[in-house]
Amino acid sequence: MSDTLMLDAIGRRVELNGEHGTVRFSGIVPPVAGLWLGVEWDNPERGKHDGSHEGTVYFKCRHPTGGSFIRPNKVNFGVDFLTAVKNRYVLEDGAEDHGKEQIITIGKKPVETIGFDSVIKQQSHLNNLQEISLRNCAVSCAGEKGGIARTCPNITRVDVSKNLLASWDEVIRIADQLKNLVVLNLSENKMQFPSGSSAVTGTFSTLKVLVLNQTGITWTEVLRCAPGWPVLEELYLGSNSIFISERPSDVLQRLKLLDLSSNPLIDENQLFLIAYLPRLEQLILSDTGISSIHFPDAEIGCKTSMFPSLQYLVVNDNRISQWSFINELDKLQSLRALSCLRNPLTEGSKEAQTTRQLIIAKIGQLKTLNKCEILPEERRGAELDYRKAFGNEWKKAGGHQDPEKNRPNEEFLAAHPRYQLLCHKYGAPEDGELKVQQPFMLKNQLLTLKIKYPNHLEQKVLEKQLPGSMTVQKVKALLSRLLKVPVSELLLSYESPKMPGREIELGNDLQSLQFYSVENGDCLLVRW
């Protein structure tokens, strides 16, 4: 690449030995002669410095080892879209078949990409292509104006993930030539998005599925671009450090699926800003760190006006540890399916089936849990067991078989919002059928636990055997005597080898260790 072209290199995406980066500097780096590129790598372990050399800062990196100086002829600046298509889907006459069909995923849909041989046999011309995959083909630009439209105008599904596209403007130049585009996967392209309001054109007038995982897009940029996606139904924004800062106004109104997975900045207050998307049916919040949710517009036993069309909610791999989270989900008027795997509430307990029954009993309209259908007989059994298991607690709280005397207190109703409804459905539990233990309690057994003091490292690590049924309050009392620290000053949490990097707060003094799924080998963390 010539020195003249190097003047335009800044901001471009490059590839070297499978690693991708962005050019942040182009010029001379004394005392070595010749032209250098300063590259900030996506993988900071690939670099050597922070963009400085011998005390001079040539460019800045987000990571102290994210930068390198590279000669221009060493890096790959990529190819245009049409060249990549021809490289992938066209063989010279007489070439042997060495391509195979493969299945790739665009969004949540498996798509069969067309291999070399099937292109020759099934589609004699590129203009018959409808589905293409150019993943990791070093696509960097649209190329000659009008070239895509002339050569392959009938494409409807495109995967250009993990390429060298550097800007949203370049994406528009490609998509503007694909008038029938329905699915577009742009994941793993670190792009610059418009900094101001973008003009609304017909470029994406047919686009229904857009995948922007790991592109660096912000929520503000999503809303800036969204007026150009008038019929969009599925939007994937995983792993972008998204922070929902404002409500979508007159955009995304046709959205049926929104994937916000692996965006750890998201919390329940941000969810309220998207709670009135009228057609949103699926919301994916896996690995966001969410631990609580509350719908303030709905009283106990009532339905919320938020998320009016939401049918399927995915909250896998989060920090949900309280049953209050499940209670709130019963307020969603359209919820029919829930996936809640690998949360403290559901993991670590040997009574996984009992946990499933509790969730079923607490969410009345649920038809599928963790991708497993809830049959009518399973629901009936779960609700009857729930009604019996908490019968004694209900009576102590003011519940009574006589409807005129049945006045359980607010605390019980908050913890068991559907209990009164179940009594109405099946009849109030009789004294003879009430169970003593709650179904999610394990048998009274000793747990061998380590006890550490993160703020007092001079304290010796202890190993204690404690009953699983022991309440947090009693654990605090024991530790208070051992440490000579007032109970009121003690804060307890625990960590488990099964969930490395996560710390679960033991926030309710009246709950047992089993309630929080504490197991043998776990470590109690004590702070004061």
Side-chain angles (χ1 to χ4, degrees):
M1 185 172 282
S2 68
D3 290 0
T4 302
L5 292 177
M6 280 297 98
L7 297 174
D8 298 324
I10 294 177
R12 293 187 62 177
R13 298 280 291 164
V14 294
E15 180 269 335
L16 177 62
N17 298 328
E19 298 283 357
H20 291 70
T22 303
V23 178
R24 302 297 186 195
F25 168 81
S26 175
I28 307 300
V29 183
V32 184
L35 193 65
W36 292 91
L37 298 179
V39 177
E40 181 182 12
W41 300 103
D42 296 348
N43 174 15
E45 294 182 2
R46 169 62 180 82
K48 297 180 179 179
H49 50 71
D50 61 357
S52 60
H53 178 66
E54 294 186 353
T56 301
V57 177
Y58 291 92
F59 64 99
K60 293 183 179 180
C61 293
R62 287 167 293 183
H63 193 279
T65 61
S68 296
F69 290 111
I70 306 286
R71 292 295 191 184
N73 62 345
K74 296 292 186 181
V75 298
N76 179 11
F77 282 88
V79 298
D80 63 78
F81 182 91
L82 198 53
T83 297
V85 170
K86 292 177 178 178
N87 288 343
R88 183 74 187 273
Y89 291 100
V90 176
L91 278 179
E92 295 179 1
D93 292 340
E96 294 181 357
D97 170 34
H98 59 275
K100 296 181 180 180
E101 295 183 359
Q102 55 180 309
I103 302 297
I104 57 104
T105 298
I106 297 181
K108 293 293 182 181
K109 294 180 171 60
V111 175
E112 185 179 274
T113 63
I114 304 172
F116 295 113
D117 183 55
S118 56
V119 168
I120 292 173
K121 293 179 180 178
Q122 300 175 20
Q123 301 176 330
S124 59
H125 299 97
L126 287 175
N127 61 17
N128 290 327
L129 279 172
Q130 293 186 2
E131 302 178 3
I132 65 169
S133 173
L134 299 177
R135 177 173 173 79
N136 206 13
C137 288
V139 177
S140 61
C141 63
E144 176 193 354
K145 186 175 181 180
I148 299 172
R150 288 192 302 271
T151 308
C152 43
N154 295 310
I155 293 173
T156 61
R157 295 170 175 263
V158 177
D159 179 0
V160 283
S161 58
K162 202 171 186 181
N163 278 286
L164 301 177
L165 295 167
S167 73
W168 183 251
D169 290 338
E170 203 61 49
V171 173
I172 290 177
R173 282 189 276 273
I174 293 172
D176 201 38
Q177 302 179 61
L178 301 173
K179 299 303 181 183
N180 301 311
L181 189 61
V182 176
V183 177
L184 178 59
N185 187 350
L186 293 164
S187 296
E188 299 177 78
N189 286 282
K190 301 292 185 183
M191 293 185 289
Q192 288 293 317
F193 291 88
S195 58
S197 299
S198 55
V200 179
T201 65
T203 302
F204 300 102
S205 60
T206 59
L207 189 67
K208 292 187 177 181
V209 179
L210 179 58
V211 189
L212 294 171
N213 300 329
Q214 298 183 58
T215 57
I217 195 169
T218 67
W219 184 252
T220 300
E221 290 165 345
V222 169
L223 298 187
R224 283 195 193 121
C225 296
W229 312 327
V231 297
L232 193 67
E233 295 182 354
E234 299 183 15
L235 179 59
Y236 298 84
L237 298 172
S239 303
N240 281 307
S241 297
I242 293 282
F243 183 94
I244 302 174
S245 53
E246 55 184 303
R247 181 176 296 182
S249 178
D250 300 323
V251 294
L252 304 179
Q253 299 302 294
R254 296 195 179 192
L255 204 63
K256 293 182 179 180
L257 183 152
L258 179 60
D259 184 353
L260 295 169
S261 298
S262 302
N263 285 293
L265 300 179
I266 288 178
D267 59 29
E268 63 173 307
N269 293 322
Q270 294 173 52
L271 296 181
F272 296 153
L273 295 175
I274 58 171
Y276 294 99
L277 289 171
R279 302 187 186 184
L280 187 63
E281 297 176 357
Q282 298 184 53
L283 180 60
I284 304 173
L285 298 172
S286 297
D287 191 31
T288 59
I290 193 168
S291 61
S292 62
I293 195 166
H294 175 61
F295 302 111
D297 65 324
E299 298 293 331
I300 294 174
C302 299
K303 298 298 182 184
T304 177
S305 62
M306 299 182 185
F307 298 103
S309 301
L310 187 63
Q311 298 179 24
Y312 183 30
L313 177 64
V314 181
V315 287
N316 299 330
D317 301 293
N318 281 302
R319 299 173 183 170
I320 301 165
S321 62
Q322 300 292 333
W323 285 106
S324 58
F325 187 101
I326 304 299
N327 291 340
E328 285 295 304
L329 298 186
D330 187 55
K331 295 180 179 180
L332 293 168
Q333 55 187 290
S334 301
L335 188 67
R336 297 295 180 271
L338 172 68
S339 188
C340 188
L341 299 169
R342 296 178 297 277
N343 280 278
L345 188 68
T346 58
E347 288 293 296
S349 171
K350 296 178 182 177
E351 301 292 340
Q353 183 60 32
T354 303
T355 301
R356 175 179 170 85
Q357 289 182 318
L358 279 172
I359 295 175
I360 292 171
K362 282 177 172 289
I363 307 177
Q365 68 274 26
L366 211 58
K367 301 295 184 184
T368 304
L369 177 58
N370 298 331
K371 296 186 178 182
C372 183
E373 182 183 3
I374 301 168
L375 299 174
E377 53 268 31
E378 183 182 16
R379 171 162 292 284
R380 176 178 172 81
E383 291 180 342
L384 284 171
D385 281 350
Y386 183 86
R387 165 182 157 275
K388 294 176 185 177
F390 293 94
N392 286 323
E393 190 176 331
W394 167 72
K395 289 184 67 177
K396 290 177 183 178
H400 200 281
Q401 284 90 348
D402 185 347
E404 295 185 0
K405 299 179 181 179
N406 182 26
R407 297 183 182 86
N409 59 35
E410 291 184 7
E411 184 179 358
F412 178 85
L413 293 177
H416 307 281
R418 294 195 72 231
Y419 196 87
Q420 291 286 78
L421 186 147
L422 295 180
C423 287
H424 179 74
K425 183 176 180 179
Y426 300 107
E430 299 295 331
D431 291 345
E433 63 178 326
L434 295 181
K435 296 179 180 179
V436 175
Q437 284 191 317
Q438 299 177 358
F440 60 83
M441 289 292 187
L442 300 175
K443 292 181 179 179
N444 189 20
Q445 59 179 334
L446 292 177
L447 303 175
T448 302
L449 306 172
K450 290 183 179 179
I451 303 176
K452 295 182 180 179
Y453 316 93
N455 298 341
H456 299 272
L457 299 179
E458 73 278 5
Q459 293 281 353
K460 184 180 178 181
V461 176
L462 295 178
E463 187 168 284
K464 287 280 186 182
Q465 286 192 322
L466 302 176
S469 58
M470 193 173 191
T471 64
V472 174
Q473 188 176 42
K474 289 182 179 179
V475 175
K476 285 184 177 180
L478 172 64
L479 292 169
S480 175
R481 293 193 296 271
L482 289 174
L483 301 170
K484 311 300 181 185
V485 176
V487 171
S488 60
E489 294 182 18
L490 293 176
L491 298 174
L492 298 189
S493 58
Y494 83 97
E495 56 187 12
S496 170
K498 293 184 178 180
M499 295 178 286
R502 294 190 179 183
E503 183 174 334
I504 312 303
E505 181 182 358
L506 305 180
N508 189 336
D509 285 357
L510 301 181
Q511 295 293 356
S512 69
L513 295 176
Q514 290 168 331
F515 177 84
Y516 289 103
S517 302
V518 178
E519 289 189 320
N520 269 321
D522 290 348
C523 181
L524 286 181
L525 303 176
V526 186
R527 293 180 174 87
W528 66 90

